[in-house]
Amino acid sequence: MTGARLLGDDEAAFIAAARSNDAVQFALLTERHRRELQVHCYRMLANYEDAQDMTQETFLRAWNKRESFKGHAALRTWLYRIATNACLDFLEKRDDRTPVPAELPDAGSEVRYLQPYPDRMLPEDPQESVVARETIELAFIVAVQHLPPRQRAVFILRDVLGWPASKAANALELTVASVTSALQRARVTMREQLPDRRLDWRSPATHELSDDERGVVKSYMDAHERNDLNGLMALLRDDLRFAMLPDPGTLIVTAKDAVDGWVSGGLFQRGYDDWRCIATTVNRMPAAALYLRTPDDPEYRLFNIAVLHIVDGKIAELTGFDATDKPWLSLPATL
């Protein structure tokens, strides 16, 4: 194969499966890429359920196009190309998959379709760039949503996955010059959206929670279970960014205003004052699953999940998600 790419074992096996219409072998070869492709779709779409759907769509398209695979690119690359374009097609049809203006002052814009990503569904190899904590955290996922879809795809392929410009251009059917221009514009937007975060996504990344983060989560859960409002207040920064999705209204508030707002909304009042919590992680971030027991119920029932961004021992961002009817979070329904 002079001047052409030598076929690897996966590529040769895939071509053989395609020629023989061997659906079982096709599934074995593609399934091993499911988790990383689903993370890729999640970065494009910020929604776990949509990412699941588009991963399935990727495998369906791959099966339908199986005879077009000639091994000129790695099987993994070919699947990423299909997944990226499946997401772009999805975004072209959906006008509800872009950030919307926030309803409150100083809150910027909101990504109301954002969903948390369960850590158990991340690829298992901790060295893979696709699972770098800095590129799966909620703030990063939200920032990416502010990019137009094709810029978004270019940025993820180039700066997150580390693809060369020519490879990204081929995947998106663009020129190298177009990819370079789109990447430059995307980087400007990302710097605006993440002014205090590092932007070198390919440098060594962290994966595990720090002892400091674990301690804050424990204190948050303890205060919640004791209805200790002063304890909660002490854990929050005075420029807390708070959102409860999918409800509109991202708030940037003081610690006192945040707690007062929760109380005025009914939390920690009779009927909403008997809590149990369990520590968990989503998006490689510390989180607490909150369970509520009402006076006429013998069990604590899953209420929501609070995802925390912790800076210098304080909660800087708290994003709450309705955790009911989301079995993919793998949280017990009752305690």
Side-chain angles (χ1 to χ4, degrees):
M1 294 182 65
T2 304
R5 179 185 178 277
L6 292 174
L7 283 180
D9 291 343
D10 280 359
E11 289 72 33
F14 186 87
I15 290 173
R19 288 174 176 170
S20 62
N21 291 324
D22 187 342
V24 174
Q25 181 67 4
F26 168 89
L28 289 173
L29 290 166
T30 54
E31 184 64 25
R32 67 187 64 172
H33 299 286
R34 175 181 294 275
R35 289 193 176 194
E36 61 177 304
L37 290 171
Q38 189 163 297
V39 171
H40 179 60
C41 292
Y42 176 71
R43 286 201 185 96
M44 287 288 295
L45 305 175
N47 184 282
Y48 180 81
E49 291 166 317
D50 291 341
Q52 280 187 313
D53 291 345
M54 287 305 101
T55 304
Q56 285 299 112
E57 174 67 14
T58 296
F59 289 148
L60 177 61
R61 291 188 184 192
W63 174 254
N64 291 336
K65 297 178 179 180
R66 61 192 181 280
E67 293 182 359
S68 70
F69 181 76
K70 305 300 182 186
H72 301 312
L75 176 60
R76 178 177 184 262
T77 300
W78 187 68
L79 291 172
Y80 265 97
R81 174 177 181 159
I82 295 173
T84 303
N85 284 286
C87 290
L88 290 173
D89 290 345
F90 173 88
L91 290 169
E92 186 178 353
K93 297 173 183 176
R94 297 289 294 267
D95 58 5
D96 63 339
R97 286 299 183 265
T98 54
V100 298
E103 295 182 358
L104 297 165
D106 302 320
S109 53
E110 299 174 333
V111 180
R112 296 178 190 169
Y113 51 91
L114 177 68
Q115 290 181 336
Y117 199 97
D119 283 9
R120 67 178 180 82
M121 292 303 298
L122 291 169
E124 295 176 354
D125 184 355
Q127 301 305 314
E128 283 282 355
S129 62
V130 293
V131 297
R133 179 174 174 181
E134 287 79 355
T135 64
I136 196 67
E137 287 184 334
L138 292 178
F140 180 90
I141 298 299
V142 168
V144 169
Q145 300 306 297
H146 288 80
L147 301 174
R150 203 157 293 273
Q151 271 188 41
R152 192 181 310 176
V154 167
F155 175 77
I156 293 170
L157 294 177
R158 292 281 286 116
D159 272 12
V160 177
L161 299 181
W163 285 21
S166 58
K167 187 175 176 181
N170 181 263
L172 297 170
E173 298 183 347
L174 297 172
T175 65
V176 171
S178 295
V179 164
T180 301
S181 176
L183 179 60
Q184 290 172 344
R185 296 195 301 274
R187 284 172 174 169
V188 170
T189 301
M190 291 298 287
R191 290 190 187 98
E192 292 171 349
Q193 293 297 320
L194 295 170
D196 300 323
R197 307 290 182 93
R198 72 179 183 87
L199 297 179
D200 182 7
W201 314 118
R202 284 171 287 176
S203 67
T206 59
H207 301 289
E208 301 299 326
L209 299 187
S210 67
D211 291 340
D212 188 41
E213 288 174 311
R214 295 181 195 278
V216 171
V217 173
K218 184 178 185 305
S219 296
Y220 174 83
M221 294 192 302
D222 289 346
H224 220 286
E225 291 182 353
R226 296 195 315 269
N227 292 284
D228 180 0
L229 303 186
N230 289 330
L232 278 175
M233 205 177 306
L235 292 169
L236 306 176
R237 277 178 42 155
D238 261 351
D239 56 349
L240 174 73
R241 185 179 181 92
F242 169 70
M244 183 64 210
L245 297 175
D247 297 337
T250 299
L251 295 166
I252 300 175
V253 292
T254 67
K256 184 178 186 308
D257 286 343
V259 173
D260 287 348
W262 296 336
V263 171
S264 66
L267 294 184
F268 309 110
Q269 305 295 314
R270 179 167 174 75
Y272 288 88
D273 59 349
D274 192 358
W275 300 96
R276 290 292 180 269
C277 307
I278 58 175
T280 185
T281 58
V282 295
N283 295 75
R284 291 204 180 275
M285 299 176 70
L290 309 180
Y291 289 76
L292 174 68
R293 184 172 69 176
T294 54
D296 58 348
D297 195 335
E299 295 185 299
Y300 292 89
R301 300 191 180 276
L302 183 59
F303 187 71
N304 64 27
I305 182 170
V307 185
L308 312 177
H309 175 56
I310 297 166
V311 178
D312 298 330
K314 295 269 193 174
I315 299 171
E317 298 172 19
L318 194 161
T319 307
F321 295 94
D322 178 3
T324 59
D325 300 320
K326 294 179 176 61
W328 40 268
L329 286 173
S330 290
L331 294 168
T334 60
L335 293 179

